[in-house]
Amino acid sequence: MKKELLKKYKEKEWFKFREKIFKLDNYACVKCNRSRKKDDIILQVHHKKYIKDKKPWEYDINFCETLCKCCHAKEHGKINPNYP
């Protein structure tokens, strides 16, 4: 299942959708405000809520936000929230 989901993040529709979210958020993390251009960080799209059987690019843009890799990991509880 996880492998199948990861394949969807390589689809061209995902890259178009992802770019739209980045642009809406001015290519900056909505949590810490660091940006790809200024701070040379990795940006990711965070789905605020998951909906069964929806492809990652089929979400309403209001369900998604731009996060840096660090803030995204914090959001999913993968690293300590106090980590910079």
Side-chain angles (χ1 to χ4, degrees):
M1 173 69 177
K2 190 174 183 179
K3 196 174 191 179
E4 196 174 301
L5 178 63
L6 289 176
K7 282 170 69 175
K8 291 180 181 173
Y9 287 100
K10 294 183 181 190
E11 302 270 343
K12 67 180 177 182
E13 291 90 345
W14 168 247
F15 287 101
K16 284 189 220 176
F17 181 79
R18 184 180 79 155
E19 189 62 26
K20 182 193 281 188
I21 301 301
F22 288 166
K23 189 173 183 178
L24 285 170
D25 292 330
N26 295 314
Y27 296 90
C29 177
V30 299
K31 300 279 185 191
C32 69
N33 206 34
R34 294 186 301 162
S35 71
R36 182 167 47 190
K37 209 175 209 182
K38 187 175 74 175
D39 303 300
D40 195 33
I41 57 159
I42 295 171
L43 294 176
Q44 300 175 331
V45 171
H46 171 62
H47 292 83
K48 298 176 195 176
K49 176 181 175 184
Y50 290 100
I51 302 168
K52 188 178 179 183
D53 297 326
K54 270 206 183 273
K55 293 177 181 160
W57 57 87
E58 293 179 333
Y59 284 73
D60 184 280
I61 58 172
N62 296 312
F63 283 104
C64 298
E65 63 187 354
T66 302
L67 296 178
C68 68
K69 189 175 180 179
C70 183
C71 287
H72 198 200
K74 287 178 193 176
E75 192 67 33
H76 287 284
K78 295 188 180 196
I79 62 172
N80 183 327
N82 295 325
Y83 186 79

